[in-house]
Amino acid sequence: MPLPVQLSPDVLYAAGAAPSTPLGPFEDSAVAWASWTTLMGFVGLVALALVAAGPAARRAGARPAAAVTVRLSRAAVLLGIAAFPAALTGLAHDASASGGYDYGAAWDSLYDGTNGGRLSGLEVTLVLVGVVLVAPLTVRGIAAGAARVRLLAGGLAAGAVALGTTRFPDAVPDDWGRTSFETLMWMLHLLGGAVWIGGLLGLLLLALPGAIAPADRGVFWPPAIRRFSAAAMGCVAAIALSGLFLYWEHVDGLSQLTSTMYGRVLGVKILIFGTLLLLGAFNQFWLHPRVDALRAGGDRRPLHSLLARKFPAVVAAETVLGLSVLFVAPFLHGSARNQAYQAGLAAHSAVDLDDLPKLPAKAVSASTWVWGTSETLLVIALMVAGYLLSGRLARRRAAGVAASTATAAATGQGDLVEA
């Protein structure tokens, strides 16, 4: 419940205009978007190569394993290199007193002795370390060697810490427990988004011509998609749980989603995220089982057609929506709680808009932990149930296709199977 703020009687005699909560300059959000997309894209592409596409390609043989690693590594290196000027541009924009870009001041702020300077320095340094580690894998001979996993793991660790520095506290906190928990939630939010969105971008790159030889597609794609689906559902759980915490922290009730600028921007973000979830469900419960069924039936022609048309289109749409979420996020300023509270104060007092007080952070109670634990268990249960259900659908469809193929072969009716 909001805590009351005592105002002196001499400021309660007149009503004022509601405080303005603008979205902020479009340029600021574009700069922030470039920084987020490059850094998170690097992390997501490396994670895809390490935990999903790479292991699936190794099952298909040395040639597809090298081809997949090289394509994803080259894209990751490009994004990692771009992340350096993107982060420096953001620092330069913040350092400029006139709203422009002071790159000299931004460069001087790196490792300037302050905690903020150290974090900024670590961000740009670690992403370049990640690039250096992943860069050798752009050569096919090295990508096929034993060092592949170690280089990818090192690059992923460097990129993940670089991403974390954007949300690590830059001052000694008064409440270590709460600050540590908030930082953990932000890490779940950022890493979950990075692995999901960057992974979608990587799948789109692999679906383009020239990445996987036609003879290897039937062996590569079903396990690759299945592995990524498991990772993506873990990312959805991480984003949902951290998003629920951030919602609890910054919003008091559903009415603030429409009555405040923060709430309206958050509402747009939730709508885009919901649409992304629907497309993911389409992939999980229809497209992926269909790919497995076609492969089980030995029907390579429909499988190639499905991968060449429907799969890239759906993944491209998901990638665009994911990038749209990252573009909307920088428009979230302050909190809906404070915006609603300050609007109420301004409507019933003559307090200067620049001096309006803010609500204290919400207090954590026993019921907060009970609700949070319940939500965590529910989200995890839904993700596990969804993954198991989609696997069961895939096996059932594959078994049906295999039986139809056997029947057609026994009766001499041909081997073209419709799934």
Side-chain angles (χ1 to χ4, degrees):
M1 182 175 181
L3 299 178
V5 175
Q6 298 296 326
L7 301 176
S8 58
D10 59 336
V11 299
L12 299 175
Y13 63 87
S20 175
T21 53
L23 289 175
F26 177 86
E27 182 183 10
D28 293 359
S29 294
V31 170
W33 179 82
S35 181
W36 286 119
T37 53
T38 51
L39 184 52
M40 294 175 74
F42 173 83
V43 171
L45 287 170
V46 176
L48 179 69
L50 182 63
V51 304
R58 286 203 307 274
R59 293 178 56 182
R63 181 183 61 184
V68 165
T69 302
V70 167
R71 177 162 288 202
L72 293 178
S73 297
R74 287 175 179 174
V77 167
L78 289 176
L79 285 179
I81 292 174
F84 176 79
L88 200 62
T89 298
L91 293 173
H93 194 48
D94 294 338
S96 175
S98 61
Y101 299 89
D102 191 341
Y103 286 94
W107 183 262
D108 291 339
S109 70
L110 303 180
Y111 300 110
D112 62 357
T114 65
N115 289 333
R118 294 188 189 96
L119 290 175
S120 298
L122 285 174
E123 179 186 354
V124 298
T125 301
L126 288 175
V127 71
L128 292 180
V129 169
V131 168
V132 170
L133 290 172
V134 176
L137 298 176
T138 60
V139 179
R140 188 173 294 269
I142 300 177
R148 186 190 72 87
V149 173
R150 292 193 296 272
L151 291 174
L152 287 174
L156 178 60
V161 177
L163 186 60
T165 59
T166 62
R167 288 296 179 181
F168 290 163
D170 58 1
V172 177
D174 296 326
D175 186 344
W176 275 99
R178 186 185 184 101
T179 302
S180 299
F181 190 79
E182 288 176 345
T183 304
L184 173 62
M185 290 298 102
W186 272 114
M187 289 300 296
L188 289 177
H189 213 64
L190 294 178
L191 289 175
V195 173
W196 191 12
I197 298 172
L200 288 171
L201 176 61
L203 289 180
L204 182 60
L205 292 174
L206 294 177
L208 296 177
I212 309 296
D216 299 324
R217 289 171 185 162
V219 181
F220 167 75
W221 277 111
I225 291 173
R226 196 68 184 160
R227 280 176 171 271
F228 177 73
S229 296
M233 296 192 82
C235 293
V236 169
I239 294 170
L241 291 174
S242 55
L244 286 171
F245 170 78
L246 295 173
Y247 176 88
W248 170 84
E249 194 173 44
H250 295 290
V251 182
D252 279 335
L254 294 175
S255 62
Q256 291 185 358
L257 290 178
T258 57
S259 62
T260 65
M261 182 60 72
Y262 183 99
R264 289 190 285 271
V265 174
L266 180 60
V268 171
K269 183 181 176 183
I270 292 173
L271 287 175
I272 298 174
F273 179 73
T275 306
L276 190 56
L277 280 181
L278 290 177
L279 282 176
F282 171 78
N283 271 339
Q284 189 73 17
F285 294 103
W286 187 87
L287 192 58
H288 299 174
R290 185 172 172 83
V291 169
D292 288 344
L294 288 170
R295 182 198 176 200
D299 194 347
R300 295 291 184 262
R301 183 185 57 81
L303 176 60
H304 176 271
S305 176
L306 190 65
L307 290 173
R309 290 184 294 182
K310 294 183 180 179
F311 180 70
V314 174
V315 173
E318 290 183 272
T319 304
V320 170
L321 288 172
L323 295 176
S324 299
V325 170
L326 295 182
F327 184 77
V328 171
F331 287 104
L332 289 170
H333 301 293
S335 75
R337 297 176 66 238
N338 280 318
Q339 289 177 8
Y341 179 63
Q342 291 177 341
L345 287 180
H348 299 90
S349 70
V351 179
D352 188 274
L353 298 183
D354 294 330
D355 297 327
L356 286 172
K358 295 182 179 181
L359 289 170
K362 283 185 177 179
V364 178
S365 63
S367 63
T368 306
W369 287 109
V370 171
W371 278 107
T373 303
S374 302
E375 290 169 351
T376 301
L377 295 176
L378 177 61
V379 169
I380 293 175
L382 287 174
M383 294 301 104
V384 172
Y387 183 76
L388 295 177
L389 177 60
S390 65
R392 180 176 297 180
L393 290 174
R395 290 190 296 271
R396 183 179 299 175
R397 174 168 285 199
V401 170
S404 299
T405 303
T407 301
T411 57
Q413 295 179 0
D415 60 356
L416 182 61
V417 179
E418 293 186 10

